[in-house]
Amino acid sequence: MKRILVVDDDAMNLRMATFILGQKEYEVITAASGQDCLDMLKTESVDLILLDVEMPVMNGIETLEQIRKQQAFCNLPVMFLTADTNEETMAAAERLGAVGYVKKPYIPQEFLEKVGNVL
């Protein structure tokens, strides 16, 4: 079973993503901040990170920069969750090796298809 870490500061978005991904029998674990994500990666094994772009303290781009600095995670697939699809943000995500993004609000079929394509 593939394991996905969903990182979002909004509890409703975490619940919705967990519900949608659960329909395909993915194992889902969650983190409420970029720092929580980094801490979880020290002890948890995951196949994919779904990372919110807009978060307080450490946003998704900053979190991904920290993830990529660690040799063990330089090839770990990361996909952004965002309502913000401006070119600058997407260019930064691409430069850091993000494998794509899912727009909010989630469209379940599109969400599952994009995740399935990565896994």
Side-chain angles (χ1 to χ4, degrees), residues 4-8 14-15 17-18 28-33 36-37 40:
I4 301 171
L5 172 57
V6 181
V7 185
D8 199 313
L14 286 175
R15 285 193 299 273
T18 300
V28 179
I29 57 175
T30 61
S33 71
D36 286 350
C37 170
M40 289 183 84

Side-chain angles (χ1 to χ4, degrees), residues 13-94:
N13 286 334
L14 286 175
R15 285 193 299 273
M16 183 61 72
T18 300
F19 174 76
I20 292 168
L21 294 167
Q23 294 176 4
K24 287 291 183 187
E25 298 181 9
Y26 293 119
E27 182 181 350
V28 179
I29 57 175
T30 61
S33 71
Q35 188 59 56
D36 286 350
C37 170
L38 296 173
D39 291 344
M40 289 183 84
L41 287 174
K42 293 174 185 173
T43 60
E44 302 288 340
S45 172
V46 298
D47 298 295
L48 171 66
I49 298 175
L50 299 175
L51 183 59
D52 185 22
V53 171
E54 294 297 323
M55 295 185 291
V57 184
M58 184 186 311
N59 69 32
I61 298 293
E62 294 164 337
T63 303
L64 183 53
E65 287 173 341
Q66 294 302 311
I67 291 168
R68 293 297 186 231
K69 286 180 181 177
Q70 300 175 50
Q71 183 64 36
F73 306 120
C74 63
N75 293 317
L76 178 64
V78 176
M79 183 178 288
F80 279 107
L81 305 173
T82 185
D84 171 20
T85 55
N86 79 49
E87 288 181 29
E88 200 173 294
T89 301
M90 293 301 105
E94 203 171 290

